[in-house]
Amino acid sequence: MTSGQLGVGADDVVPEDVEAQCVLCFENLRAILAEGGMTFKDVVRFSAYVTDRVHFPIYGAVRSRYVDGNAFASTLVIVSGFTRPEFKVEVEATAARVIE
């Protein structure tokens, strides 16, 4: 399981744009999964949090760029905010791989 990933770059810059924040979340998740020798194909659950209902379709569209199909559980929760007011989205993933 990854910790929640926020839309912030390595330079600590948080884009204003929700789509750009979502992309950063998924790029961060991709890097974490790779460290464990996994990919998005190993994800069995996503939990996402957004600060406004209008962000849901944007989040869904970005997630679809990174993950094929619906072979995973997914939850999206609308929250009032995060630790820094500029954050609009947070995503965490649970991944598992069968070792033979």
Side-chain angles (χ1 to χ4, degrees), residues 22-69:
C22 289
V23 167
L24 282 169
C25 289
F26 279 92
E27 287 297 322
N28 292 340
L29 289 171
R30 184 196 319 257
I32 292 167
L33 290 166
E35 287 273 327
M38 297 181 164
T39 69
F40 283 111
K41 291 182 179 186
D42 297 301
V43 172
V44 295
R45 178 174 192 75
F46 286 102
S47 296
Y49 310 88
V50 296
T51 57
D52 193 308
R53 187 175 316 277
V54 299
H55 302 327
F56 169 67
I58 299 165
Y59 162 78
V62 172
R63 186 187 70 193
S64 292
R65 291 185 218 160
Y66 288 86
V67 183
D68 293 330

Side-chain angles (χ1 to χ4, degrees), residues 72-88:
F72 51 83
S74 181
T75 299
L76 180 98
V77 178
I78 300 167
V79 298
S80 62
F82 297 106
T83 55
R84 289 172 39 185
E86 62 267 41
F87 292 132
K88 297 177 181 171

